[in-house]
């Protein structure tokens, strides 16, 4: 029998209650790379009443994680049940999370193709950091998103992008393929792992079946679309 989401999740207004509400709930980590549908997946969890981690707080943990200091991340995970985007999309972080939370569920979101993902992240960053042009390393370093230079640190740390061409297509495609392959190899024998393309037919049904829940919805919400963004 599928579970129904408790109404209390949708009525929670005070974040300090969240650790108590999720204390005995299994963690769910959305470990797809940014711009692979993670924002839409987050929205789907919120619509279903799950308590989702505060993304900005998690993003500020990057300096410690770069130094392989994970206790701050584990403590942060007490604050919610569902987590996504950076730092959960960093290479290898899923291994640390799986060791710490062996009963957790992991969801890898993918795009139709590596090209589609590269185009999406390039356009999104162009809009956000470079007034519609492909962003340069200097623009990323001077961006004040989270803190000054944070987005450059994230791109450099996770994808080892170059100063002269941070959105080199061949390089990012290799990183996209490498990341997804490593994740799938690691979880190949796990029943607590789901690989999903949100644009596929019946993907929402796969999602709710994986969580073993009933849902009043029939499809994922679609947020942060980049298909219609034109580079200058």
């Amino acid at each position: 029998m599928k579970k129904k989401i408790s109404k209390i999740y949708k009525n929670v207004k005070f974040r300090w209650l969240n650790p108590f509400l999720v204390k005995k709930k299994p963690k769910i980590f959305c470990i797809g790379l940014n711009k692979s549908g993670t924002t839409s997946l987050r929205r789907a969890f919120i619509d279903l009443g799950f308590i989702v981690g505060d993304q900005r707080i998690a993003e500020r943990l990057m300096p410690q994680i770069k130094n392989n200091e994970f206790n701050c991340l584990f403590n942060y995970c007490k604050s919610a049940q569902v987590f996504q985007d950076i730092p959960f999309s960093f290479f290898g972080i899923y291994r640390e999370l799986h060791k710490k939370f062996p009963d957790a569920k992991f969801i890898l979101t993918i795009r139709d193709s590596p090209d589609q993902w590269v185009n999406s992240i390039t356009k999104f960053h162009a809009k956000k950091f470079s007034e519609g042009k492909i962003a340069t390393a200097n623009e990323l370093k001077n961006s004040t998103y989270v803190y000054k230079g944070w987005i450059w640190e994230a791109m450099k740390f996770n994808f080892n992008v170059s100063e002269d061409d941070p959105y080199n297509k061949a390089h990012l495609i290799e990183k996209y393929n490498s990341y997804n392959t490593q994740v799938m190899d690691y979880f190949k024998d796990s029943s607590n792992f789901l690989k999903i393309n949100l644009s596929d037919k019946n993907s929402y049904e796969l999602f709710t079946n994986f969580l073993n829940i009933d849902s009043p919805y029939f499809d994922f919400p679609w947020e942060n679309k980049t298909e219609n963004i034109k580079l200058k």
Side-chain angles (χ1 to χ4, degrees), residues 23-36:
K23 189 173 183 179
K24 296 184 179 180
K25 301 289 183 180
K27 303 298 180 186
I28 303 170
F29 298 107
C30 307
I31 56 175
L33 293 174
N34 302 63
K35 302 312 298 176
S36 66

Side-chain angles (χ1 to χ4, degrees), residues 112-126:
D112 293 343
S113 69
D115 284 66
Q116 185 188 48
W117 175 76
V118 173
N119 289 336
S120 182
I121 193 170
T122 302
K123 288 181 178 181
F124 183 70
H125 286 185

Side-chain angles (χ1 to χ4, degrees), residues 9-232:
Y9 282 87
K10 291 187 176 181
N11 294 331
V12 170
K13 296 181 180 179
F14 303 102
R15 187 181 296 164
W16 65 269
L17 283 173
N18 290 353
F20 300 98
L21 293 172
V22 304
K23 189 173 183 179
K24 296 184 179 180
K25 301 289 183 180
K27 303 298 180 186
I28 303 170
F29 298 107
C30 307
I31 56 175
L33 293 174
N34 302 63
K35 302 312 298 176
S36 66
T38 54
T39 303
S40 296
L41 189 61
R42 174 183 180 274
R43 183 74 252 172
F45 273 110
I46 291 174
D47 289 345
L48 288 168
F50 284 85
I51 295 177
V52 178
D54 186 308
Q55 184 175 333
R56 187 54 58 87
I57 294 175
E59 289 170 339
R60 290 186 176 278
L61 301 177
M62 184 170 63
Q64 295 98 311
I65 290 170
K66 286 172 62 178
N67 290 324
N68 294 320
E69 299 170 5
F70 301 115
N71 283 337
C72 60
L73 180 63
F74 300 151
N75 287 331
Y76 163 76
C77 288
K78 297 175 182 178
S79 68
Q81 184 180 8
V82 180
F83 307 90
Q84 44 80 234
D85 276 352
I86 292 174
F88 301 96
S89 56
F90 281 160
F91 273 75
I93 289 298
Y94 54 86
R95 298 189 189 100
E96 303 299 328
L97 294 167
H98 187 237
K99 286 188 288 186
K100 180 67 176 180
F101 305 101
D103 297 325
K105 291 181 179 288
F106 292 81
I107 301 176
L108 174 69
T109 45
I110 62 170
R111 299 299 297 265
D112 293 343
S113 69
D115 284 66
Q116 185 188 48
W117 175 76
V118 173
N119 289 336
S120 182
I121 193 170
T122 302
K123 288 181 178 181
F124 183 70
H125 286 185
K127 178 184 177 182
K128 195 169 185 67
F129 305 118
S130 187
E131 298 182 343
K133 305 183 298 294
I134 295 177
T136 65
N138 281 337
E139 286 172 323
L140 298 181
K141 290 176 183 179
N142 286 312
S143 166
T144 56
Y145 177 77
V146 183
Y147 56 76
K148 186 177 180 180
W150 180 92
I151 187 61
W152 170 253
E153 287 184 40
M155 290 290 287
K156 186 68 176 177
F157 178 67
N158 210 32
F159 302 126
N160 193 28
V161 296
S162 68
E163 294 259 355
D164 58 342
D165 190 9
Y167 294 92
N168 180 276
K169 191 169 188 176
H171 179 78
L172 288 179
I173 284 176
E174 188 277 327
K175 291 298 182 181
Y176 174 87
N177 287 332
S178 177
Y179 179 82
N180 290 340
T181 297
Q182 288 180 31
V183 170
M184 289 185 288
D185 285 346
Y186 182 84
F187 288 108
K188 63 183 178 181
D189 298 319
S190 175
S191 60
N192 281 341
F193 172 73
L194 175 68
K195 181 186 76 170
I196 190 169
N197 183 338
L198 270 58
S199 66
D200 282 350
K201 184 179 180 181
N202 300 326
S203 61
Y204 192 78
E205 183 179 1
L206 288 173
F207 167 69
T208 55
N209 286 343
F210 177 67
L211 298 176
N212 192 32
I213 60 171
D214 288 314
S215 171
Y217 309 107
F218 300 97
D219 204 352
F220 289 101
W222 199 249
E223 299 196 347
N224 276 357
K225 294 182 72 172
T226 56
E227 282 74 6
N228 296 325
I229 296 176
K230 294 183 179 180
L231 295 174
K232 293 181 180 178

